[in-house]
Every structure is written in C-alpha cells, then in structure tokens.
Amino acid sequence: METLTLSPGLIDEVVAIRRDLHAHPELGFEEKRTAALVATRLRELGYEVHEGIGVTGVVGVLRGARPGKTIMLRADMDALPLEEESAHVYTSRTPGVMHACGHDGHVAMLLGAARVVAERRHEVAGTLVFCFQPAEEGRGGAKAMVDEGLLERFGVERAYGLHLFSLLPTGVLGFREGPFYASSDSIEIRIEGSGGHGAAPHLSIDPILVAAEFVASVQKVVSRQIDPIEPAVVTIGAIHGGTTHNVIPSYVTLLGTVRAFDAGVRGRMAERIERVLKGVCDASGASYTFDYQWRYPVTSNDVAQTRNVRALAERVFGSERVVSSEKHMGAEDFSFFAERVPASYFVLGCSAGPQTSYPHHHGRFDIDEAALATGVQIMSAIAFEGPTWDS
C-alpha cells in the first residue's frame, strides 16, 4: 500500500467537520445532530445508510467490486458532561457539555476515510461497514448496537477502531496485542448507621467512620488479594454524607470504579469488595446495600489483526511513527465488538505541545488537528487492505 496522499480540500473538510462537532457536542444517546450530519454526508458519498441503530447510531455500507471479507471501521460520537475551559473559535456552545476525549476527531477522520474510499471504490474488495457509534462514555453504546444485531445484520467479520491519544506525539500510532484497555465496572454503596449528636458518638453508629474504614480497607483487595503482576484498581470517587459540623448522619453513600485486565480477576472483584464492606459494617453494627454494576469488559486485541494493522501502518508511515503501546487503565466499549469478532483497537498521538497535552476528560483537552490526516490515512488503508487479510 503506497502512502495515501490527501488533497488539501479533504484535509480542510475533515478539520471543519471536527470543529463543527466540537462546537456542538452531544451526550450519549442524544447525538441527533451529529448522527444527522453523518448520515447526510454518507448519503452524499453514495453509501447505503442505516440510522437509529443503538438509538442514535449510524452505519454506512459500501460493497466492493471484488470479493473479500466484511470489515467494520468504528468511530464513537458522544461528548462528556464537562464545562470547556478553553477559548477557541470552535469552543463548545453547549453549557456543561464538551468533546473532552477526541470523539469529534474520530467522527471527522472516519468521514474523511469514507470519502477517500468512495472516490476509489473500484479498488475495494469485500464489504465495508462504517460504524458511527453513540454513547461510548459510560453508557455502552457499542453494547446497544451489538444487542440490536449490528454484527449479524451486516455480516461483520473483523472490526477496527482508533482513539486519539494526548500522551503520544502527533501522528505516532500505538499498537498492543492482547489486553489493551481495562474492564470498567461501578460500585454504589449505602452504609446505614444510626445518627445522633457529634458530641455523643457512643450513642450512635457513625456511618462516616465506617465509610472511612471501608475506603482504607478495600485497597487490600488489590494489594493483598490480587496477583501483583495482574493490574487492578479500586477507586472510591465520591462520598456523600452528613449536613453540618456536629451531627452524625444516619447514612453515607459511596460511588466507585473497579478496573482489571484479566477476566478472572474481574469476575472475583465484586465478592472480594463486598466481603470487606460486610466486615467493617459488622464490626461497627452498621448495615449496607451494595450494587455492583458490570459495565465494560477488557478490550483485548486479536493478535493477528493487530499485527496486520501494525505492519500496514509501518508500510504507509514508516516504522519511526509506529510504537508498542502500554496497557491503559481507561476503558473502552469497543470491547463489546472485540468480544464477538477478531478486532484491533489502536491509538493515534495528537500532542504537539502544552496546549494539546492535557489529559482526556480535562476541561482544557484539545488535539493537534494535524493528527487528523494520519487518522484518515490509516483508516482508509485498512478499508482497502483489511478485507483481503486471511487471518
């Protein structure tokens, strides 16, 4: 595959789409404007368009002139409930909602690749499924699409996706075989005590003290019950309880997240965490409710497909722009696709200095838009070669 040269007009179009989406962010399963833009553009390019899959998901299908496999290229569309802290011409115009994870770029790049492919459709083998997915940010839009039969409906045999990544320099592609992004589950806890006066704690059961003991003790699940070579995280991200200085409340609520890279470790975390919770509550005479919410499984890359894409990237861009990526404790609902078909998920660097190096989900997150061309090129290259890969 020779380097895919993009016209200045196409690059300008991709940047314009990204900025338009950034200025008009939409939360998960509410991406009506975004979905309409995507569907309109795909129709203009001659794709067979399917809307409303997984609530607001859009799929564009292009059937090649030669036989080959059916592959899916995916971009997520949703933004985050976050106030943007930067001032640009494309700053979010929706208060409290921001594209702080690069999904606006993902959509723009995949639409750019759709244009490249449409203009060279006579070179396409097999069938290409361009998937624009809703609600990646914690609401499981990929699962919604899978549950509605996306993969079976279009006969998808392979799946590929990328994520803009502020920890890599612009235009550098990062790959990892096997587990790449962690699983992500949520815990919601209510500890019930017995309220009273802060000056007489012996007449109460203090749920704040119990909660504090639990937060400290639950870290032993990771430090003493999990194999040290198996990464895992239990983080309590919110504690709510009490109203004033001298009142012991009757209850406290806690919210947390649980991450792991091994399915077996993940499967035992709920039992282990609840055992710690029960122990500290029993010791103090408190009671509790415990809700463990199974959310995103581990995103694990198929070895053969990841090697295929990496080799393709090295041919297109040169080995100096391809690196081996570390595991990430972040989670990705691309995992629901990767559980069902051989898949590869990789990252694309978008950092070119302090202004484009803020972490994802930060109010000042932004990308170096020069990375968008690389994303269009690699997704186009996969579209042309992916359907011919045997393994």
Side-chain angles (χ1 to χ4, degrees):
M1 165 66 70
E2 78 282 1
T3 300
L4 286 161
T5 302
L6 306 180
S7 70
L10 187 148
I11 296 172
D12 290 346
E13 178 182 285
V14 171
V15 170
I17 291 172
R18 182 259 165 172
R19 292 186 175 191
D20 177 72
L21 295 175
H22 193 93
H24 301 91
E26 296 172 299
L27 297 175
F29 295 128
E30 299 175 11
E31 309 95 335
K32 294 180 180 179
R33 182 184 184 278
T34 304
L37 182 154
V38 168
T40 297
R41 184 62 181 139
L42 290 174
R43 286 195 179 93
E44 290 172 349
L45 293 170
Y47 283 78
E48 173 187 311
V49 177
H50 304 263
E51 299 179 75
I53 303 175
V55 185
T56 49
V58 180
V59 168
V61 179
L62 187 145
R63 293 177 173 82
R66 296 179 288 114
K69 290 182 169 56
T70 298
I71 70 167
M72 184 176 80
L73 305 174
R74 173 267 203 173
D76 39 10
M77 301 189 294
D78 57 323
L80 284 155
L82 183 69
E83 193 71 36
E84 185 156 12
E85 298 174 18
S86 301
H88 304 289
V89 295
Y90 50 85
T91 294
S92 172
R93 300 175 190 174
T94 305
V97 183
M98 176 194 174
H99 270 295
C101 203
H103 297 187
D104 49 345
H106 300 171
V107 174
M109 289 185 291
L110 194 56
L111 283 175
R115 173 178 160 181
V116 172
V117 171
E119 292 173 350
R120 296 169 55 177
R121 66 184 68 213
H122 60 282
E123 300 178 32
V124 176
T127 299
L128 304 178
V129 177
F130 285 74
C131 173
F132 295 84
Q133 176 215 305
E136 187 279 328
E137 297 289 359
R139 301 193 67 188
K143 185 177 187 299
M145 297 187 88
V146 168
D147 288 348
E148 287 190 21
L150 168 74
L151 301 176
E152 296 82 4
R153 178 176 174 182
F154 299 105
V156 174
E157 299 172 83
R158 306 280 189 271
Y160 308 93
L162 67 77
H163 204 300
L164 289 162
F165 192 55
S166 66
L167 296 182
L168 283 177
T170 296
V172 173
L173 291 157
F175 297 91
R176 186 176 186 87
E177 299 170 11
F180 190 14
Y181 278 70
S183 62
S184 175
D185 301 313
S186 297
I187 51 176
E188 297 187 0
I189 295 167
R190 180 180 171 107
I191 295 174
E192 297 275 357
S194 177
H197 200 293
H202 60 295
L203 300 177
S204 303
I205 298 173
D206 187 350
I208 291 180
L209 178 61
V210 178
E213 291 176 348
F214 168 74
V215 171
S217 297
V218 77
Q219 297 308 313
K220 296 175 186 176
V221 170
V222 173
S223 66
R224 288 296 179 266
Q225 298 182 36
I226 304 297
D227 188 330
I229 66 172
E230 288 292 346
V233 169
V234 179
T235 294
I236 302 301
I239 301 177
H240 302 285
T243 57
T244 191
H245 307 76
N246 61 348
V247 174
I248 294 174
S250 60
Y251 71 91
V252 170
T253 60
L254 303 92
L255 307 176
T257 187
V258 183
R259 308 289 172 114
F261 278 104
D262 179 83
V265 170
R266 181 195 186 208
R268 295 190 294 274
M269 292 299 281
E271 174 191 354
R272 288 168 167 167
I273 292 168
E274 187 173 12
R275 187 163 61 237
V276 173
L277 177 62
K278 183 177 187 301
V280 297
C281 286
D282 286 351
S284 300
S287 60
Y288 69 89
T289 58
F290 178 70
D291 182 18
Y292 194 94
Q293 300 170 0
W294 301 90
R295 294 193 181 276
Y296 293 178
V298 176
T299 301
S300 188
N301 280 330
D302 179 79
V303 171
Q305 295 312 308
T306 302
R307 290 178 180 174
N308 285 338
V309 180
R310 179 171 185 154
L312 177 61
E314 290 175 344
R315 294 201 304 276
V316 173
F317 303 107
S319 59
E320 68 276 5
R321 285 176 58 186
V322 176
V323 299
S324 296
S325 186
E326 299 298 321
K327 292 179 178 178
H328 300 302
M329 271 298 176
E332 243 298 333
D333 74 349
F334 185 84
S335 54
F336 289 105
F337 300 130
E339 281 188 323
R340 301 286 296 274
V341 298
S344 183
Y345 194 71
F346 52 97
V347 292
L348 168 59
C350 61
S351 173
Q355 297 306 311
T356 52
S357 296
Y358 286 97
H360 296 254
H361 295 211
H362 190 286
R364 297 183 70 87
F365 176 83
D366 199 7
I367 67 169
D368 176 13
E369 292 176 328
L372 298 174
T374 300
V376 174
Q377 288 171 311
I378 188 60
M379 295 304 267
S380 299
I382 296 170
F384 289 122
E385 291 208 6
T388 68
W389 290 331
D390 291 331
S391 61

